[in-house]
């Protein structure tokens, strides 16, 4: 069972949380150093931005998944396995569906924070791949307050729509008991 605390799980938890301690600018500089030469050159492209966002926002997904899996009662999995269901099938058909709310919540949190990321983006972006946060930053630096406001409105929509969709889905499944 993956929910038991061991030294390895503690170490993996610590390593997964390291991006919280590293600033986005430092992470971006490290990615530039790592991917600016050699067989795999990613600087100046969109893929290095995706890598930065995944690494930078990974702790949100880890904490959300970890929190939900530790809330599940282990007896559910034990009962399934005792009834002859394989551990992998138990995980796929029982544990993952029970974890769905935590996974979705973590993904939404990752999406919202990645969409508004500026510190790593400002170092890594290339002229062909400009994000809304970079547009807002450059507009505020100059005299484009209107452009910054428009980009901020787009960013608000991009981050609010997933929240509204999840809220709508949750309210559909809620039932009241009298």
């Amino acid at each position: 069972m993956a929910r038991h605390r061991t030294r390895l799980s503690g170490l993996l938890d610590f390593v997964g949380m390291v991006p919280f301690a590293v600033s986005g600018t430092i992470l971006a500089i490290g990615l530039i150093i790592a991917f600016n030469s050699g067989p795999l050159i990613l600087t100046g492209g969109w893929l290095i931005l995706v890598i930065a966002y995944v690494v930078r926002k990974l702790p949100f997904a880890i904490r959300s998944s970890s929190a939900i899996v530790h809330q599940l009662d282990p007896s559910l999995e034990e009962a399934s396995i005792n009834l002859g269901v394989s551990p992998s099938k138990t995980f796929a058909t029982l544990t993952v569906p029970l974890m769905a709310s935590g996974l979705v919540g973590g993904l939404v949190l990752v999406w919202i924070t990645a969409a508004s990321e500026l510190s790593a983006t400002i170092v890594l972006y290339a002229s062909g791949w400009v994000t809304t946060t970079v547009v807002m930053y450059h507009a505020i630096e100059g005299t484009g307050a209107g452009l910054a406001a428009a980009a901020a409105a787009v960013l608000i929509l991009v981050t609010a729509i997933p929240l509204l969709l999840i809220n709508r889905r949750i309210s559909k499944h809620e039932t009241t008991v009298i």
Side-chain angles (χ1 to χ4, degrees):
M1 299 247 159
R3 72 179 77 223
H4 298 297
R5 295 281 184 193
T6 63
R7 283 189 179 188
L8 178 62
S9 67
L11 178 65
L12 290 175
D13 189 43
F14 174 76
V15 169
M17 295 300 116
V18 167
F20 268 143
V22 178
S23 73
T25 306
I26 300 300
L27 173 70
I29 291 170
L31 288 173
I32 289 171
I33 291 169
F35 295 112
N36 200 28
S37 62
L40 188 59
I41 299 174
L42 298 177
T43 54
W46 61 271
L47 188 56
I48 198 163
L49 283 172
V50 172
I51 292 170
Y53 295 157
V54 167
V55 170
R56 185 104 167 100
K57 305 308 175 185
L58 185 64
F60 292 112
I62 290 172
R63 282 294 173 192
S64 176
S65 301
S66 175
I68 197 72
V69 80
H70 288 294
Q71 290 180 7
L72 299 178
D73 189 3
S75 64
L76 294 171
E77 292 173 342
E78 291 167 1
S80 176
I81 292 169
N82 286 339
L83 290 171
V85 180
S86 70
S88 59
K89 188 170 183 181
T90 295
F91 180 75
T93 59
L94 178 73
T95 308
V96 171
L98 290 173
M99 289 177 58
S101 63
L103 294 173
V104 169
L107 289 174
V108 168
L109 187 58
V110 166
W111 170 254
I112 290 170
T113 58
S116 61
E117 172 69 34
L118 180 64
S119 59
T121 306
I122 203 76
V123 176
L124 293 174
Y125 86 98
S127 60
W129 305 100
V130 181
T131 64
T132 54
T133 54
V134 172
V135 169
M136 290 186 312
Y137 178 75
H138 287 303
I140 297 270
E141 270 189 341
T143 58
L147 179 60
V154 169
L155 184 60
I156 290 169
L157 285 175
V158 165
T159 57
I161 288 173
L163 288 174
L164 292 172
L165 291 174
I166 288 176
N167 189 30
R168 184 175 177 195
R169 180 157 173 96
I170 288 171
S171 64
K172 276 185 184 179
H173 292 302
E174 285 182 351
T175 58
T176 56
V177 178
I178 300 179

